[in-house]
């Protein structure tokens, strides 16, 4: 099949008139200098980008949108509301909610999601007949929404530095890291799904068990993700328990490295930044969640300068818009430093595409190049937000003006999942979201 792209971002620049040939789910040829659609080609008008990678997601948090905006509070008060939703989910209701959330992602141009999955068991911690029923529900939801998934199966064993799980967290815990690894061993990937690992945080996995999770990921050659220093309270508690920062503790136990991605990394010392960058540990920034939860602004520029690749995630889904995440990373840094231009639009798009896919173990995605997976998305250049700039400024227009509402088409594996702004598999995504959220509302 051939797609004709009116304009395409090819990693360093925008090219007008590009024919993209697809076979067996991969791009087989990229032919610039094609001013009109070849016979039989599917024409995509606007700016086509590689598919966006949402490197950090908690699908069930989509049910919190709006609800957690009532009143004031902190991350810790927000967490209590989140627990209430988690308590009510079943494999069936989680599938419905995740399918709708992933369909919303497809509408936003996201072709791959990293699902940081810790909701494993029934209320009270009882295992389902299939101990991976909740994880399998997420894998099925992604398939039916038409996007790829890396299921980052998460070890979550403690309420905080050795304290037993509280009543909400019993659903999350396997008891020990060895028991977590035994359950994770039974997870199987699929054409659209890969399996990774996660350490929820240094609060939730005792130091003596960190290496078990890291060793599992190393044996599987799988990505390993973790929440890191999102809150200053975590740093203070870690120092009190271990006499070192969370980053130093992870380094001591062999958790850092090129397959590892630290999420947030908001409150770091200079030594922490050097440890992360020096080990080429990736960092996933989630600016819309970090500002929604009043977490703070992470040192993304310093991390990248030290050697950490950057990716982006929508995390708690205050909004699902990877273009906004890219824009917010730059604009946050402008507010902090009172200077402009810390990243080019091309660099921000790489974080949202190729580097995000690499963080999720999909090194063969995130570019418009022969051999890459045929995953891409097209943004309108004639909306009220995007009209006006020259096409050669398409990257700047996408990052600094466009929103998820400007996505017109999304293609995954060569198949059109979103056509003219409508999801081809979940035609009424708003109703699917409303029904799924109503089913778990307290």
């Amino acid at each position: 099949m051939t797609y004709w792209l009116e304009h395409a971002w090819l990693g360093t620049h925008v090219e007008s008139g590009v024919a993209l040939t697809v076979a067996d789910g991969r791009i087989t040829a990229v032919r610039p200098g094609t001013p009109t659609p070849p016979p039989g080609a599917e024409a995509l008008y606007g700016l086509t980008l590689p598919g966006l990678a949402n490197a950090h997601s908690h699908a069930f948090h989509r049910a919190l949108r709006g609800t957690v905006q009532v009143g004031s509070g902190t991350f810790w008060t927000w967490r209590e509301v989140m627990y209430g939703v988690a308590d009510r989910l079943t494999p069936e209701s989680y599938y419905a909610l995740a399918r709708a959330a992933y369909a919303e992602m497809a509408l936003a141009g996201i072709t791959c999601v990293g699902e940081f999955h810790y909701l494993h068991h029934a209320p009270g911690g009882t295992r389902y007949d299939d101990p991976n029923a909740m994880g399998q529900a997420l894998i099925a939801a992604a398939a039916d929404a038409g996007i790829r998934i890396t299921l980052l199966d998460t070890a979550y064993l403690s309420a905080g530095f050795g304290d037993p799980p509280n009543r909400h967290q019993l659903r999350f815990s396997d008891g020990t890291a060895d028991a977590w690894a035994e359950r994770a061993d039974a997870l199987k990937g699929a054409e659209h799904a890969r399996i990774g690992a996660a350490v929820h945080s240094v609060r939730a996995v005792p130091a003596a068990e960190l290496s078990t999770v890291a060793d599992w990921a190393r044996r599987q050659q799988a990505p390993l993700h973790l929440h890191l220093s999102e809150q200053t309270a975590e740093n203070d508690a870690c120092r009190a328990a271990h006499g070192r920062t969370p980053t130093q503790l992870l380094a001591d136990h062999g958790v850092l490295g090129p397959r590892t991605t630290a999420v947030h990394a908001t409150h770091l010392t200079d030594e922490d930044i050097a440890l992360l960058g020096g080990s080429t540990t990736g960092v996933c920034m989630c600016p819309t969640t970090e500002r929604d939860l009043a977490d703070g602004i992470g040192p993304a520029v310093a991390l990248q300068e030290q050697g950490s690749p950057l990716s982006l995630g929508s995390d708690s889904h205050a909004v699902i818009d990877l273009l906004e995440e890219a824009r917010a990373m730059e604009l946050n840094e402008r507010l902090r430093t009172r200077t402009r231009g810390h990243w080019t639009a091309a660099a921000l798009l790489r974080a949202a595409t190729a580097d995000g896919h690499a963080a999720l173990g999909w090194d063969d995605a995130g570019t418009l190049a022969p051999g890459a997976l045929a995953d891409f998305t097209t943004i309108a250049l004639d909306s009220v937000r995007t009209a006006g700039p020259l096409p050669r400024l398409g990257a700047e227009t996408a990052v600094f003006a466009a929103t998820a509402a400007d996505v017109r088409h999304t293609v995954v594996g060569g198949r059109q999942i979103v056509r003219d702004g409508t999801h081809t598999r979940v035609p009424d995504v708003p109703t699917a979201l409303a029904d799924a959220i109503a089913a778990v509302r307290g």
Side-chain angles (χ1 to χ4, degrees):
M1 180 175 184
T2 298
Y3 286 93
W4 179 78
L5 316 179
E6 183 185 23
H7 308 288
W9 182 67
L10 299 183
T12 57
H13 66 286
V14 173
E15 191 80 39
S16 296
V18 177
L20 206 71
T21 305
V22 174
D24 298 324
R26 291 185 180 270
I27 299 169
T28 57
V30 178
R31 298 192 302 277
T34 308
T36 58
E42 179 77 21
L44 303 181
Y45 290 93
L47 174 69
T48 296
L49 310 169
L52 306 177
N54 187 354
H56 189 66
S57 162
H58 302 292
F60 76 91
H61 290 190
R62 177 60 182 83
L64 301 173
R65 188 182 295 174
T67 302
V68 290
Q69 307 305 333
V70 177
S72 61
T74 65
F75 168 86
W76 307 102
T77 53
W78 168 89
R79 191 173 72 157
E80 292 304 312
V81 181
M82 179 271 289
Y83 283 155
V85 173
D87 287 344
R88 291 185 287 274
L89 283 163
T90 66
E92 295 75 21
S93 62
Y94 203 5
Y95 162 82
L97 179 56
R99 174 178 173 266
Y102 296 157
E104 182 182 357
M105 291 184 197
L107 290 173
I110 293 164
T111 57
C112 185
V113 62
E115 184 59 41
F116 199 102
H117 167 55
Y118 54 82
L119 186 53
H120 301 305
H121 307 301
T126 302
R127 290 195 170 205
Y128 291 105
D129 291 341
D130 174 1
N132 286 307
M134 295 294 262
Q136 297 294 354
L138 292 165
I139 291 171
D144 291 345
I147 69 172
R148 303 185 195 276
I149 184 171
T150 296
L151 187 75
L152 297 160
D153 197 89
T154 304
Y156 193 132
L157 309 174
S158 168
F161 298 100
D163 292 337
N166 65 34
R167 64 183 182 87
H168 304 290
Q169 296 163 346
L170 290 172
R171 295 198 74 173
F172 311 160
S173 178
D174 291 295
T176 67
D178 285 335
W180 166 83
E182 181 180 358
R183 182 182 52 73
D185 279 338
L187 281 164
K188 304 300 179 188
E191 183 181 358
H192 78 291
R194 295 179 182 174
I195 308 301
V199 168
H200 180 273
S201 57
V202 295
R203 300 191 317 273
V205 178
E209 306 208 54
L210 288 168
S211 62
T212 300
V213 184
D215 289 345
W216 185 93
R218 200 170 293 115
R219 287 194 305 273
Q220 303 289 333
Q221 296 189 316
L224 173 63
H225 287 219
L226 54 104
H227 293 128
L228 177 63
S229 293
E230 183 178 2
Q231 298 290 324
T232 55
E234 176 182 288
N235 291 353
D236 294 342
C238 189
R239 285 193 180 95
H242 298 290
R244 61 202 63 221
T245 67
T247 301
Q248 293 165 341
L249 186 68
L250 294 167
D252 289 346
H253 290 273
V255 177
L256 304 183
R259 282 200 184 90
T260 299
T261 296
V263 181
H264 303 304
T266 308
H267 303 285
L268 303 178
T269 66
D270 290 343
E271 182 182 353
D272 293 339
I273 294 169
L275 283 170
L276 291 166
S279 60
T280 62
T281 298
V283 175
C284 179
M285 308 302 290
C286 306
T288 65
T289 289
E290 289 149 8
R291 71 191 184 198
D292 184 55
L293 297 181
D295 288 341
I297 300 170
V301 170
L303 284 160
Q304 191 166 53
E305 288 175 346
Q306 287 291 313
S308 289
L310 299 180
S311 55
L312 298 165
S314 63
D315 192 3
S316 67
H317 312 314
V319 298
I320 293 177
D321 188 339
L322 260 287
L323 300 173
E324 172 62 21
E325 304 295 345
R327 175 164 54 245
M329 190 163 71
E330 166 67 22
L331 298 186
N332 283 353
E333 198 66 26
R334 293 182 185 185
L335 284 174
R336 179 164 62 178
T337 63
R338 290 178 289 175
T339 60
R340 305 174 74 221
H342 302 276
W343 292 275
T344 64
L348 293 168
L349 284 178
R350 280 194 296 275
T353 56
D355 290 346
H357 280 96
L360 298 176
W362 296 88
D363 300 279
D364 50 352
T367 61
L368 299 180
L373 291 168
D375 300 353
F376 41 92
T377 188
T378 304
I379 296 169
L381 294 180
D382 58 357
S383 77
V384 293
R385 289 166 292 278
T386 61
L390 295 170
R392 64 181 175 81
L393 299 175
E396 288 76 11
T397 303
V399 171
F400 292 106
T403 73
D406 296 308
V407 171
R408 291 294 174 263
H409 312 288
T410 301
V411 174
V412 181
R415 296 182 294 270
Q416 210 159 354
I417 302 302
V418 174
R419 181 181 290 113
D420 296 322
T422 299
H423 200 289
T424 61
R425 300 185 182 189
V426 188
D428 189 350
V429 177
T431 296
L433 284 164
D435 290 347
I437 292 168
V440 298
R441 184 180 293 131

